Amino acid sequence: MIIVMRPECGPDSPEVAEVVRVARSFPDVQTEVRQIQGATRSLTEVYLIGSTGQLPLDRFADTQGVERAIRVREKYRAIGRHEGQVEALGFEYNGLRFGDDSFHVFAGLCAVDTRENVEQMFRALKQLGLQTTRAGAYKPRTSPYDFQGHGRACLPYVFELAGKYDIKCVAMEITHETQLDEIREALQRAGQPTGVLIQIGTRNAQNFELLKHVGQQQDFPVLFKRGMGITLAESLNACEYIASGGNHRIVFCLRGMKTNLGDPHRNLVDFAHVPVVKRLTRLPVCIDPSHSVGQRLVALDGLLDMHHAAAQGIVAGANMVLVDFHPTPKEALCDGPQALLLQELEHFVADAQLVRKTYLDRVALGRRLLKGSA
Ligand code: PEP
Ligand code: MN
């Protein structure tokens, strides 16, 4: 059960203390008090854990300071939306807003290879007024003989250049919790020129110890990628490890599912699940057309399959797009075949914005024409 408090009742308020007292008066019920950044307001929620099945909702709904008492429908209680009963989670980070109403394109290098390429990438972003990017320092590779990323060695110049080109947030995967400290220290040494969205890759979607670590820190928000070979419910439960640690600043990313049925794409594009994840969870949703499609295929209309896949996710309400670019994809040390060229950035972003507008128009149309017909 989740007890949503009125906005004026903070975690230390007497009203919250009373809810906790009442909850604990029932046998085998524990409580956790959480401060949540909702889409439009900051809220305190009290989670009731343990034998809560028989607890009367009214006992809490009638308590002073309580806005609503909600019966939890899914096991992933902190990120779950529980049949629409709780509001979307959103957050501000380094001047950027992430929530069910926001939209960002994180275009950048799959893996950082050279300082020159990072600079060219960031310069191209700045020319278009973009302040969000991706830059992989720690790369989880299928083969131990493949380039593993430059790791901490590249962080000083990545952050220095981020500052130089006004990048507000860099999505960066980590594969081990010690890398959190490396990123924290490098940012500090560089004078905090940018923010970092910590990425949990699909291969670590069920690395529960790593998830606990990123959940127990509050410095960085987290981009959680769906596991490529597990069910959606398993991915959502894995993602809950981050929230249950106390960090609710999470974006859930779809990146395609591993199956040969996806051929000729690298993965089976799963962007029809954007509205599904939004219905099941309170999280903003990202799509990654690069790792889904995985190669540069040109459709008959002249657009790339990557554009079409991205459009499918955006037109269904995606809040963020993670996409690979590279100045010279043939020389890229990781995932070159799926990287778009810097001279294609303007088109990709303009196309994405066009589709985003179409999504907003579709929602408005639905509200107008479907009113009362449901
Ligand atoms: C990546 O984004 O660089 C990456 C490795 O993605 P995924 O974990 O989705 O394969
Ligand atoms: Mn990659």
Side-chain angles (χ1 to χ4, degrees):
M1 195 180 284
I2 301 176
I3 315 298
V4 182
M5 303 301 296
R6 289 191 200 284
E8 65 273 18
C9 300
D12 301 323
S13 63
E15 289 86 353
V16 168
E18 178 60 9
V19 168
V20 168
R21 191 193 64 74
V22 172
R24 293 209 179 148
S25 70
F26 291 94
D28 301 322
V29 174
Q30 295 93 48
T31 52
E32 268 174 36
V33 178
R34 297 229 184 269
Q35 182 89 34
I36 301 286
Q37 184 57 52
T40 55
R41 54 196 185 143
S42 175
L43 290 172
T44 303
E45 295 181 350
V46 184
Y47 292 74
L48 275 47
I49 306 153
S51 312
T52 60
Q54 301 306 318
L55 292 192
L57 276 185
D58 293 354
R59 180 69 187 83
F60 294 95
D62 296 342
T63 303
Q64 214 180 1
V66 170
E67 186 168 288
R68 256 174 326 146
I70 294 163
R71 185 94 50 208
V72 168
R73 308 276 179 199
E74 297 93 8
K75 218 166 177 181
Y76 39 93
R77 60 173 179 261
I79 64 164
R81 201 181 275 267
H82 310 295
E83 297 181 8
Q85 296 174 80
V86 289
E87 65 184 83
L89 287 175
F91 58 91
E92 297 272 334
Y93 179 62
N94 208 25
L96 300 171
R97 159 133 201 95
F98 295 83
D100 67 347
D101 51 353
S102 63
F103 182 68
H104 300 287
V105 176
F106 277 62
L109 302 172
C110 176
V112 171
D113 41 21
T114 67
R115 182 189 168 101
E116 291 65 38
N117 285 339
V118 175
E119 180 141 30
Q120 279 195 56
M121 183 71 234
F122 288 4
R123 193 184 295 121
L125 291 165
K126 168 113 176 131
Q127 275 164 4
L128 292 172
L130 293 170
Q131 296 187 302
T132 48
T133 191
R134 56 163 297 150
Y138 309 95
K139 298 304 300 178
R141 303 304 301 278
T142 305
S143 163
Y145 306 113
D146 288 341
F147 174 62
Q148 305 286 310
H150 289 311
R152 69 193 302 176
C154 68
L155 300 181
Y157 67 77
V158 171
F159 295 152
E160 177 213 318
L161 292 168
K164 179 173 173 187
Y165 291 99
D166 293 328
I167 302 289
K168 283 192 181 304
C169 188
V170 183
M172 183 176 278
E173 177 165 0
I174 63 164
T175 54
H176 194 274
E177 64 268 16
T178 50
Q179 294 154 0
L180 281 171
D181 291 331
E182 294 179 3
I183 292 171
R184 210 178 273 120
E185 278 164 27
L187 278 173
Q188 213 164 9
R189 241 179 248 131
Q192 308 290 352
T194 189
V196 173
L197 177 61
I198 295 291
Q199 195 173 314
I200 297 295
T202 193
R203 291 159 188 82
N204 278 314
Q206 284 186 310
N207 182 341
F208 300 122
E209 297 308 315
L210 181 62
L211 296 171
K212 284 182 201 168
H213 274 99
V214 295
Q216 282 159 9
Q217 58 80 38
Q218 293 293 336
D219 291 336
F220 306 108
V222 182
L223 179 67
F224 173 87
K225 285 192 154 192
R226 177 186 191 168
M228 63 183 162
I230 56 177
T231 65
L232 180 59
E234 285 166 334
S235 282
L236 295 175
N237 280 303
C239 187
E240 177 77 11
Y241 270 90
I242 304 168
S244 72
N247 189 352
H248 291 86
R249 297 186 300 167
I250 307 169
V251 180
F252 189 95
C253 182
L254 298 169
R255 48 79 70 208
M257 301 300 292
K258 186 111 194 142
T259 159
N260 285 346
L261 297 174
D263 287 347
H265 294 163
R266 181 175 176 182
N267 289 290
L268 187 65
V269 180
D270 56 349
F271 300 163
H273 283 181
V274 169
V276 176
V277 176
K278 289 190 161 200
R279 184 170 61 246
L280 294 176
T281 79
R282 331 161 67 171
L283 305 176
V285 177
C286 174
I287 52 159
D288 178 343
S290 303
H291 288 81
S292 298
V293 173
Q295 51 176 322
R296 193 186 174 84
L297 296 168
V298 186
L300 277 184
D301 52 23
L303 299 173
L304 300 178
D305 285 15
M306 217 109 58
H307 294 136
H308 286 300
Q312 286 163 18
I314 298 166
V315 88
N319 303 107
M320 178 175 153
V321 182
L322 192 69
V323 56
D324 291 3
F325 278 78
H326 196 281
T328 41
K330 278 198 175 67
E331 292 166 20
L333 298 175
C334 180
D335 287 347
Q338 69 193 27
L340 301 177
L341 301 160
L342 296 192
Q343 52 271 34
E344 294 170 327
L345 182 61
E346 184 177 5
H347 172 234
F348 185 89
V349 172
D351 190 52
Q353 282 164 349
L354 179 75
V355 184
R356 171 70 182 172
K357 183 180 176 310
T358 302
Y359 166 70
L360 296 173
D361 289 348
R362 290 177 64 220
V363 173
L365 180 71
R367 289 217 173 105
R368 194 154 51 81
L369 297 185
L370 294 174
K371 214 174 2 181
S373 70

